[in-house]
Amino acid sequence: ITLSNKRYREETVSLELEGLPEDGYTLESAQIEFASAGRKDVLLKISPALSPGLHPVLIRARSGDGWAGEFRIYPFIPKA
């Protein structure tokens, strides 16, 4: 997941993930700190142990000043 801060000030962005069980993924960090404008990558690992098929996942990002955004991904887990 790539996050951008387009403001030249400190900002904290929180990430939430909906649609997978808690043991079905690992998020590198749920709180991302920006000292100023810039980009940061956050690693999302999805467990291959989930049931086969497409899994709709909603990712939400929120900053301390009230900004919020969300997007969907559809990871595919193949049959073992």
Side-chain angles (χ1 to χ4, degrees), residues 2-79:
T2 300
L3 300 171
S4 296
N5 177 20
K6 297 182 179 181
R7 300 177 183 171
Y8 290 90
R9 64 177 184 180
E10 291 183 15
E11 192 63 71
T12 301
V13 177
S14 302
L15 290 176
E16 299 173 7
L17 194 130
E18 183 180 301
L20 293 176
E22 284 192 29
D23 62 349
Y25 69 94
T26 303
L27 189 59
E28 181 180 34
S29 179
Q31 297 280 324
I32 297 81
E33 303 286 334
F34 288 93
S36 185
R39 288 181 143 174
K40 293 196 177 180
D41 292 327
V42 178
L43 184 62
L44 170 62
K45 292 182 183 178
I46 297 176
S47 172
L50 291 172
S51 61
L54 284 174
H55 293 268
V57 176
L58 179 66
I59 298 173
R60 289 191 181 100
R62 291 191 167 103
S63 68
D65 68 357
W67 175 87
E70 60 185 38
F71 62 95
R72 290 196 178 272
I73 62 172
Y74 297 87
F76 177 75
I77 306 298
K79 292 183 181 180

